[in-house]
Amino acid sequence: MFTNRIKIGAFNMMITSYNFKQIGDVLIVVLGQDKGIQTSKKNGNIVALKNEDGKIIGYNIFNVSSITPEIKNQNGQVILSDNQIDKLNEAIVSAGFDTKLPSKVSPKFVVGFVKSMKEHPKSSHLYITETEVEDGKTLQIVSSSPNMQEGIKVVVAEVGTMMPNGLIIWPSELKDVESDGMICSGRELKIPNAPDRPGALILPDSYKIGEPFDFDKAKTLFDE
């Protein structure tokens, strides 16, 4: 049994994406996991999406370039500036909604350290890890990486992360064992020249546990 593990319940997250060619001038905002029956409410150019208990878990903001014109230069996942968040929150409040976009969201791709691992009791190819992500905070993450081992530094996609392929990481269960995050491969992170096979990306010792994963720095990890 692992100790000092943080169980993920409510979490601070926001994922925003924009694709003018595919869906038009609409900002997609994800604030929480969709569970059960989803409902929506439209006020003006803003649609609030709610889960079955009435909590707002996202917004679709139409004609968003009228609020923040620079959004039209974006495609895919968008990292909003503080000024953009302020303008969008003004529009959300003016539309009659009281759930604002968070002003600060912690980085989701972080450097982790596999403190311990054990075989999954119901699978011969899964491992249950206790992975530190910052200052003693550890997550239980179930991994299928064939090169998984104790004492390595890895890239952790925490709950609330959007992967490069668009997949969002949520709390999950793999064969009845909780998993709060994902240990990533170089291929999943789309790092140049990463091997096209399963396996955790093992980082050099120079990477610091808990720091945001630097995708630009990682571009040379697989250079010959």
Side-chain angles (χ1 to χ4, degrees):
M1 173 120 5
F2 292 151
T3 59
N4 299 321
R5 178 168 66 86
I6 302 297
K7 177 174 173 56
I8 301 296
F11 42 89
N12 177 30
M13 68 161 288
M14 177 174 67
I15 296 172
T16 50
S17 61
Y18 182 83
N19 189 325
F20 184 82
K21 289 184 178 180
Q22 293 293 324
I23 60 174
D25 192 19
V26 184
L27 183 69
I28 305 298
V29 181
V30 179
L31 298 173
Q33 187 172 12
D34 179 14
K35 292 183 178 180
I37 299 174
Q38 187 183 99
T39 59
S40 64
K41 181 178 181 181
K42 185 176 188 296
N43 289 346
N45 285 325
I46 299 179
V47 175
L49 306 174
K50 301 180 180 182
N51 62 15
E52 58 188 7
D53 63 5
K55 179 181 178 182
I56 291 179
I57 56 172
Y59 289 108
N60 293 338
I61 303 177
F62 292 81
N63 197 25
V64 68
S65 64
S66 66
I67 303 171
T68 171
E70 60 271 27
I71 199 77
K72 279 203 168 181
N73 297 322
Q74 302 289 319
N75 184 62
Q77 186 173 8
V78 176
I79 305 301
L80 298 172
S81 68
D82 291 342
N83 184 54
Q84 287 176 307
I85 291 174
D86 288 343
K87 288 181 177 179
L88 291 168
N89 278 333
E90 289 177 6
I92 287 169
V93 172
S94 295
F97 299 110
D98 56 9
T99 298
K100 295 183 179 180
L101 309 187
S103 57
K104 294 192 180 203
V105 178
S106 60
K108 296 302 181 182
F109 287 105
V110 298
V111 177
F113 178 74
V114 181
K115 297 176 66 176
S116 60
M117 62 167 280
K118 63 182 180 182
E119 293 185 359
H120 193 296
K122 295 185 178 181
S123 173
S124 60
H125 68 278
L126 293 176
Y127 303 96
I128 305 171
T129 76
E130 180 186 22
T131 300
E132 181 180 351
V133 290
E134 59 177 289
D135 297 331
K137 172 186 171 183
T138 60
L139 301 175
Q140 177 171 289
I141 300 176
V142 179
S143 174
S144 62
S145 296
N147 62 340
M148 186 52 58
Q149 57 189 291
E150 295 181 357
I152 58 174
K153 291 181 180 178
V154 294
V155 181
V156 174
E158 295 190 87
V159 167
T161 299
M162 177 181 281
M163 298 294 293
N165 66 359
L167 174 72
I168 297 177
I169 304 300
W170 299 114
S172 62
E173 286 190 1
L174 295 175
K175 293 188 179 293
D176 299 325
V177 175
E178 294 179 5
S179 183
D180 290 322
M182 176 179 174
I183 294 175
C184 305
S185 69
R187 178 181 60 177
E188 290 164 332
L189 297 170
K190 298 192 180 300
I191 296 174
N193 302 317
D196 188 20
R197 61 176 183 268
L201 171 59
I202 300 177
L203 297 172
D205 286 339
S206 58
Y207 282 76
K208 183 180 178 182
I209 300 168
E211 70 181 1
F213 180 64
D214 188 332
F215 279 84
D216 286 334
K217 177 182 176 182
K219 288 178 179 179
T220 60
L221 279 174
F222 295 99
D223 285 355
E224 296 182 355

